[in-house]
Amino acid sequence: MSQMPRPTAMSTCPSCEEPVESGDRFCGACGYDLSAVPAPPDHLPTVTPAADGTAPAQAPAVDWPSAPELDSSDTPAPVHLPTDLPGTDSGGSELPSAVRFDGVPGQAGESAVSGDYTLPAPDPRTVPPEALATPPAGTKLCVACRAGHVDRDGYCENCGHAQPRERDHMEQELGAVAAVSDRGLRHHRNEDAFAIASAALPDGTPSVVSIVCDGVSSATRPDEASLAASRAASEALLESLPRGTHPQQAMHDAIVVAAEAVNVLAQEPGSASEHAPHQNAPACTLVGAIVAKDLLIVGWVGDSRAYWVPDDRTAPAARLTEDDSWAAQMVAAGLMNEAEAYADERAHAITGWLGADAYELEPHTASFKPDRPGVVVVCTDGLWNYAEAAEEMARVIPADAAHRPLHSAQVLVGHALDGGGHDNVTVAVLPFPVPPQGQDRPRPGGVGKSRGPRGSST
């Protein structure tokens, strides 16, 4: 269906807006003189005459180029591309003939700087590896773009990517002992530290040492405290054990040395910008283990723990330490059972630590004589919060932990991260006994506590 054409709209009277014919001189409705020129509307701009009454000068006419006409052959006019026309920048200078974006000078001696802005580093996805510049000595390349240099603040100068810190995730394996530490999923840094080592006793038999420390987050520079304590305790054990010091006495002395190392931090100006006079002195907890001959020695201050897990999982596992914490005190005093105490929000408030503001240093040590093979798990609360009971720890750790300590430590850290990773996680796994060459494992049996040179466990 076609549409009929509409008639041309009639004009209207400027006064009453009634329709009028094109030849009318007066409006038939109101009598308005249609030949009169109407006044301009108020909303339109007006031209102000000059002071002498003359009309203002008109703007010069623009000489627009006329389009070329077609010749008799009907050939179209030639097409001009933008690049065919000369141009200048906003300052009046001629535009460059070519622009580079890869930061590589086009000719020898040509600068890669355009004006006041340095061109970005090359994209490693499009540039051959041999074309990437070698970073100057003492600097690092970004782990993300592999092109920019890492600034002193830990960020890439090219892509701005934050670089992982060395302590965010650490792994170490040393013969019969291994340890893994991870920042976790909620903390902005890793405040845990560990040290593992081996030493020969005076008779030549090997001994294995592991130290795990957890920085107190409410204190100043907790990451420095845990690192200083772990190193000092390990070095003290490596000096005393070869001299013939009894392992339990050596562990006690090592904890004292570690406490002194943390105390020194309170006397030094803090290297971290967060240091303030109103904050607590640097502090950390410590737990350590020594496997020497048929002895298993543990020592601790704070709430980091050590667990015994036998290779024969039908035998019971055991927790070898007692926390220096509010919850442990409530249980020991008979005021709460263990479930009630650890459900309280004050449960993890520690009552013992290494630091200048500690009430009194009371190193705890204990000596055991396991008569079956197994492993010792030395860890911070970042792990045992997700496997608190000894039975839970035994279920989490792989069955071949004695033969693959590093893999077992990785599995335990992964268990904590899968559970939420609310804290830093550090764990060391020590097989017991240290596997001697050409000898069988000890016969199966239980775990018995023995008396050391300082008497029973302290």
Side-chain angles (χ1 to χ4, degrees), residues 64-113:
W64 296 103
S66 59
E69 298 180 356
L70 298 179
D71 54 17
S72 59
S73 61
D74 293 335
T75 303
V79 178
H80 294 279
L81 299 176
T83 54
D84 297 335
L85 303 176
T88 60
D89 60 15
S90 58
S93 303
E94 293 185 2
L95 294 176
S97 58
V99 180
R100 298 184 64 90
F101 294 96
D102 56 1
V104 181
Q107 298 177 356
E110 180 182 346
S111 174
V113 178

Side-chain angles (χ1 to χ4, degrees), residues 10 77 110 120 146 164 177 201 213 248 293 309 334 398 407 428 437:
M10 301 175 62
E110 180 182 346
R146 300 300 301 168
V177 60
L201 300 179
C213 296
Q248 190 170 356
K293 294 185 178 180
V309 179
H407 173 258
Q437 297 293 332

Side-chain angles (χ1 to χ4, degrees), residues 141-435:
L141 279 180
C142 174
V143 299
C145 69
R146 300 300 301 168
H149 297 161
V150 178
D151 202 353
R152 295 178 60 184
D153 60 359
Y155 291 84
C156 175
E157 296 177 342
N158 178 45
C159 67
H161 190 90
Q163 305 300 297
R165 286 165 288 197
E166 181 181 0
R167 291 178 64 176
D168 281 358
H169 185 87
M170 300 178 292
E171 297 185 0
Q172 187 178 0
E173 184 175 26
L174 185 63
V177 60
V180 176
S181 181
D182 192 272
R183 177 171 58 92
L185 305 179
R186 302 295 181 90
H187 279 227
H188 69 285
R189 65 181 176 188
N190 191 358
E191 298 172 355
D192 289 356
F194 68 82
I196 57 176
S198 61
L201 300 179
D203 60 358
T205 57
S207 63
V208 179
V209 172
S210 70
I211 301 292
V212 170
C213 296
D214 184 357
V216 178
S217 297
S218 59
T220 305
R221 299 150 60 195
D223 53 332
E224 296 181 34
S226 62
L227 184 62
S230 60
R231 288 178 175 177
S234 178
E235 292 172 359
L237 290 172
L238 292 181
E239 291 180 2
S240 58
L241 290 175
R243 293 200 305 261
T245 305
H246 191 279
Q248 190 170 356
Q249 180 66 51
M251 177 63 77
H252 178 276
D253 297 343
I255 297 176
V256 173
V257 171
E260 294 173 352
V262 178
N263 293 346
V264 170
L265 295 178
Q267 305 170 8
E268 300 176 351
S271 60
S273 58
E274 65 182 5
H275 176 64
H278 66 274
Q279 290 181 313
N280 297 330
C284 69
T285 67
L286 182 147
V287 62
I290 304 173
V291 175
K293 294 185 178 180
D294 59 346
L295 284 180
L296 168 58
I297 310 296
V298 294
W300 73 97
V301 172
D303 62 349
S304 294
R305 295 181 177 179
Y307 291 84
W308 163 258
V309 179
D311 288 350
D312 180 7
R313 299 303 166 84
T314 61
R319 197 177 92 193
L320 307 179
T321 58
E322 294 292 339
D323 298 342
D324 288 324
S325 67
W326 180 90
Q329 284 190 343
M330 293 298 102
V331 174
L335 302 177
M336 291 183 177
N337 61 39
E338 190 167 352
E340 295 173 339
Y342 281 98
D344 194 282
E345 60 181 8
R346 297 164 290 181
H348 289 277
I350 58 176
T351 58
W353 62 87
L354 306 183
D357 58 354
Y359 300 121
E360 183 179 358
L361 178 62
E362 296 182 0
H364 309 290
T365 61
S367 177
F368 302 90
K369 276 193 173 183
D371 58 356
R372 70 179 61 218
V375 292
V376 184
V377 178
V378 184
C379 63
T380 62
D381 60 344
L383 170 62
W384 65 256
N385 278 332
Y386 301 97
E388 186 171 347
E391 296 77 13
E392 294 178 281
M393 190 68 70
R395 286 195 297 267
V396 174
I397 192 169
D400 59 351
H403 303 286
R404 302 174 65 191
L406 178 59
H407 173 258
S408 301
Q410 293 168 339
V411 170
L412 293 174
V413 170
H415 175 75
L417 298 180
D418 291 342
H422 287 73
D423 200 355
N424 306 145
V425 189
T426 303
V427 56
V429 177
L430 294 81
F432 178 91
V434 179

